[in-house]
């Protein structure tokens, strides 16, 4: 509405001005040599307006003709750029759905029409990766790394190619270069952190972790936990080298991560050596409530040096009462009770877990039978059950089972990856029922425990039998019976066993190991030292004969073209 009113006002002013000029009397005298004219004032103004309009029209035409070559060049560039952008878009879409031939064709079109576009270089590199052309992909990523705007992306691509080529040293060098350019790069910091942990450079790993926290890559709880893990690793390594620094690191680690089992064990040990018994016990109790662990129970039992076995048993019972019903508490009580010769308490602690024992439960029961009664037969039966029993929890990370805690997973290089849990191979399977005890085990466990004056000697060979009767004290309890007609002494190397009764079928000895059909046998794979090499699902392999790559020649600016009318005429017949 405002524009309409303004337009009408301008028209009114122009009409008023024209009427005023028309009402003015007089004439304009013009003379140029012998030429002269005396038009009236309105005519003169009209002629002057016509001349001005004609001049402006002529200037516009001349200027348009002068700018025509530049417009043609700009139009060609825009069309080429549009074709290149369209090829890049279609090529990236082809890579997304795995069409390598279409991606390669679009990459060629993008290189022809948009050679200097960063996305064209990326398209070429990814199409080469999709085809398995490692050399071509590396050349494309190197070209990207030489440019200022795509340097970090090129380093990222070279890092991935170094991982695929099983070259961890080159991968870490590239990651360190990328970390200098962009301290907030998560992949670079993760790679450098894993390398520092792999070579035991805990100070450098702590520096990288502090950088990650200041850059906002990790939150504060994760930072505290990971810093506690690194400090614990340093404390364990310096435990016999620099005890002062080891103690300082352990104390800081237990403040940052109170539930970390290795930190709690080591800090409790240092506090116990400093005669801070209550503080040491509180450290272990806090970690025990979060995760009962045999190392915590052992540290709690020996928190006060010089205690007797019965005093350690009382202390372990106090710790186990803080997590009632947990198997680790029962195992800790059984272990301390065996050391204190309190076999009744050991049996009572293990009683709830005898029906489906784990390996440690079965081994402790075997030790009880051997130590309390000297019954090697029942001890061997429990040992056989331990062979086929379920696995106990262990330090596990990414399917890798370790006998000790580690700060970094050797499979993926992930920090704080080890967890105290049952390995996957020990989980129950739905393909078969629980492994039943053999007749030998049932017979040995069902027989009453004989009383002997002294523990018997173990023989090398023990035949399986359905019923075991106690032998006289003067004889060896596990020696095979001799035939009546055989006068050979019992010390003979290979005694002849008595023939079984005719009505009973011969019973063979139970195998030590039984094959589980639900767990396929696999060969253990080698664990990389620094950085895990993860094959991409779209990687078909490496071609022996690499295809020629257009990035072998250095990409430079286009040659200058002639300007003006000469350049316009030279490009008139060119294709757009």
């Amino acid at each position: 509405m405002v524009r309409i009113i303004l337009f009408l006002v301008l028209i009114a002013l122009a009409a008023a001005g024209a009427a005023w000029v028309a009402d003015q009397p007089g004439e304009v005298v013009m003379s140029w040599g012998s030429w002269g004219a005396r038009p009236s004032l309105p005519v003169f103004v009209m002629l002057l307006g016509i001349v001005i309009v004609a001049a402006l029209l002529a200037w516009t035409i001349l200027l348009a003709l002068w700018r025509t070559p530049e417009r043609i060049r700009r139009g060609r560039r825009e069309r080429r750029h549009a074709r290149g952008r369209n090829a890049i878009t279609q090529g990236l879409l082809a890579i997304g759905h795995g069409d390598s031939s279409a991606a390669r064709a679009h990459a060629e079109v993008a290189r022809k029409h948009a050679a200097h576009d960063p996305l064209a270089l990326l398209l070429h590199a990814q199409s080469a990766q999709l085809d398995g052309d490692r050399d071509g992909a590396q050349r494309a990523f190197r070209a990207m790394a030489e440019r200022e705007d795509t340097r970090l992306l090129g380093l990222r691509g070279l890092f991935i190619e170094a991982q695929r080529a099983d070259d961890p040293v080159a991968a870490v060098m590239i990651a360190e270069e990328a970390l200098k350019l962009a301290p907030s790069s998560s992949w670079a910091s993760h790679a450098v952190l894993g390398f520092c942990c792999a070579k035991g450079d805990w100070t450098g790993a702590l520096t990288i972790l502090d950088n990650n926290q200041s850059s906002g890559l990790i939150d504060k709880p994760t930072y505290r936990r990971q810093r506690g893990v690194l400090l614990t690793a340093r404390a364990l390594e310096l435990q016999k080298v620099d005890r002062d620094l080891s103690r300082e690191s352990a104390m800081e680690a237990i403040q940052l991560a109170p539930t970390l089992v290795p930190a709690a064990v080591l800090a409790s040990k240092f506090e116990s050596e400093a005669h801070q018994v209550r503080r040491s016990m509180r450290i272990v109790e806090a970690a025990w409530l979060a995760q009962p662990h045999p190392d915590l129970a052992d540290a709690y039992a020996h928190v006060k040096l010089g205690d007797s076995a019965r005093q350690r048993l009382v202390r372990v019972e106090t710790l186990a009462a803080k997590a009632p019903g947990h198997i680790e508490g029962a195992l800790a009580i059984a272990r301390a009770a065996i050391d204190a010769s309190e076999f009744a308490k050991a049996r009572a602690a293990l009683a709830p877990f005898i029906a489906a024992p784990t390996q440690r439960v079965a081994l402790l029961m075997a030790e009880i039978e051997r130590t309390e009664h000297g019954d090697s037969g029942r001890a061997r039966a429990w040992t056989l059950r331990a062979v086929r029993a379920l696995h106990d929890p262990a330090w596990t990370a990414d399917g890798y089972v370790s006998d000790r805690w580690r700060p970094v997973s050797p499979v993926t290089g992930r920090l704080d990856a080890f967890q105290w849990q049952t390995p996957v191979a020990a989980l129950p399977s739905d393909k078969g029922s629980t492994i039943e005890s053999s007749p030998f085990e049932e017979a040995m466990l069902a027989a009453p425990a004989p009383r002997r004056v002294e523990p018997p000697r173990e023989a090398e060979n023990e035949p399986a039998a359905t019923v075991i009767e106690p032998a006289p004290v003067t004889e060896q309890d596990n020696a095979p019976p001799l035939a009546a007609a055989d006068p050979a002494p019992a010390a003979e190397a290979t005694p002849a066993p008595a023939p079984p009764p005719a009505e009973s079928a011969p019973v063979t000895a139970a195998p030590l190991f039984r094959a589980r059909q639900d767990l396929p046998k696999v060969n253990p794979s080698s664990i990389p030292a620094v950085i895990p090499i993860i094959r991409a699902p779209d990687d078909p392999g490496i071609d022996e004969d690499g295809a020629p790559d257009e990035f072998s020649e250095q990409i430079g600016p286009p040659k200058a073209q002639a300007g003006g009318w000469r350049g316009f005429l030279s490009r008139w017949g060119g294709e757009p």
Side-chain angles (χ1 to χ4, degrees), residues 116 554-560:
H116 298 281
Q554 185 177 1
I555 300 177
K559 297 181 180 180

Side-chain angles (χ1 to χ4, degrees), residues 212-231:
N212 292 346
Q213 199 272 337
S214 61
S215 301
L217 297 179
I218 55 177
D219 54 4
K220 191 172 182 179
T222 305
Y223 167 74
R224 290 174 60 88
R225 174 73 180 188
Q226 293 184 356
R227 183 174 177 83
V229 170
L230 294 177
L231 289 172

Side-chain angles (χ1 to χ4, degrees), residues 264-316:
V265 172
L266 189 58
S268 174
K269 179 180 178 181
F270 283 124
E271 293 292 354
S272 176
E273 292 176 354
H275 303 289
Q276 300 293 334
V277 178
R278 291 302 307 164
R279 189 180 302 173
S280 177
M281 294 174 65
R282 285 196 298 268
I283 291 175
V284 176
E285 289 171 358
W288 179 269
L289 291 176
Q291 177 64 65
H293 193 274
D295 293 345
L296 294 173
D298 184 70
Y300 199 82
H302 297 85
V303 70
K304 190 175 182 180
L305 303 179
D307 282 353
S308 63
R310 295 183 182 275
Q311 290 174 330
R312 293 197 299 269
L313 174 59
V314 173
R315 189 178 299 116
V316 169

Side-chain angles (χ1 to χ4, degrees), residues 107-352:
E108 293 296 332
V109 175
R111 175 184 173 273
K112 179 179 178 182
H113 296 288
H116 298 281
D117 196 319
L119 292 179
L121 298 176
L122 178 61
L123 175 60
H124 179 80
Q126 290 189 347
S127 63
Q129 286 180 327
L130 190 60
D131 286 338
D133 185 8
R134 300 283 177 80
D135 295 335
Q138 289 182 0
R139 284 192 293 269
F141 284 125
R142 288 195 192 99
M144 296 171 67
E146 293 176 357
R147 296 179 48 154
E148 187 68 25
D149 53 348
T150 59
R151 181 169 300 171
L152 191 61
L153 181 58
L155 292 176
R156 169 66 169 163
L158 292 175
F159 172 78
I160 296 176
E161 290 301 321
Q163 282 187 307
R164 291 184 175 181
D166 297 339
D167 192 355
V169 178
V172 171
M173 293 177 61
I174 295 170
E176 290 178 348
E177 182 67 22
L179 196 61
K180 294 178 182 178
L181 295 176
S184 60
S185 178
S186 59
W187 64 269
S189 62
H190 176 74
V192 177
L193 180 62
F195 179 73
C196 291
C197 294
K199 67 179 182 179
D201 184 10
W202 308 116
T203 304
L206 289 170
T207 303
I208 297 297
L209 188 65
D210 294 339
N211 181 38
N212 292 346
Q213 199 272 337
S214 61
S215 301
L217 297 179
I218 55 177
D219 54 4
K220 191 172 182 179
T222 305
Y223 167 74
R224 290 174 60 88
R225 174 73 180 188
Q226 293 184 356
R227 183 174 177 83
V229 170
L230 294 177
L231 289 172
T232 304
R234 186 172 68 177
L236 291 173
E237 183 177 347
L238 300 178
Q239 185 177 0
K240 298 181 180 180
V241 180
D242 189 349
R243 292 188 65 84
D244 293 336
L245 182 57
S246 177
R247 175 186 173 85
E248 180 183 352
S249 301
M251 292 298 105
E252 184 181 355
I254 200 61
Q255 292 177 1
L256 295 173
T259 60
L260 186 60
V261 173
V265 172
L266 189 58
S268 174
K269 179 180 178 181
F270 283 124
E271 293 292 354
S272 176
E273 292 176 354
H275 303 289
Q276 300 293 334
V277 178
R278 291 302 307 164
R279 189 180 302 173
S280 177
M281 294 174 65
R282 285 196 298 268
I283 291 175
V284 176
E285 289 171 358
W288 179 269
L289 291 176
Q291 177 64 65
H293 193 274
D295 293 345
L296 294 173
D298 184 70
Y300 199 82
H302 297 85
V303 70
K304 190 175 182 180
L305 303 179
D307 282 353
S308 63
R310 295 183 182 275
Q311 290 174 330
R312 293 197 299 269
L313 174 59
V314 173
R315 189 178 299 116
V316 169
E317 288 177 344
T318 303
L319 180 65
K322 297 182 180 299
H326 201 280
I327 187 174
E328 291 296 340
L331 291 172
I333 293 176
R335 177 73 269 168
I338 292 174
D339 295 339
S341 299
E342 296 284 347
F343 301 105
K345 287 187 177 181
R347 291 179 182 273
L350 297 179

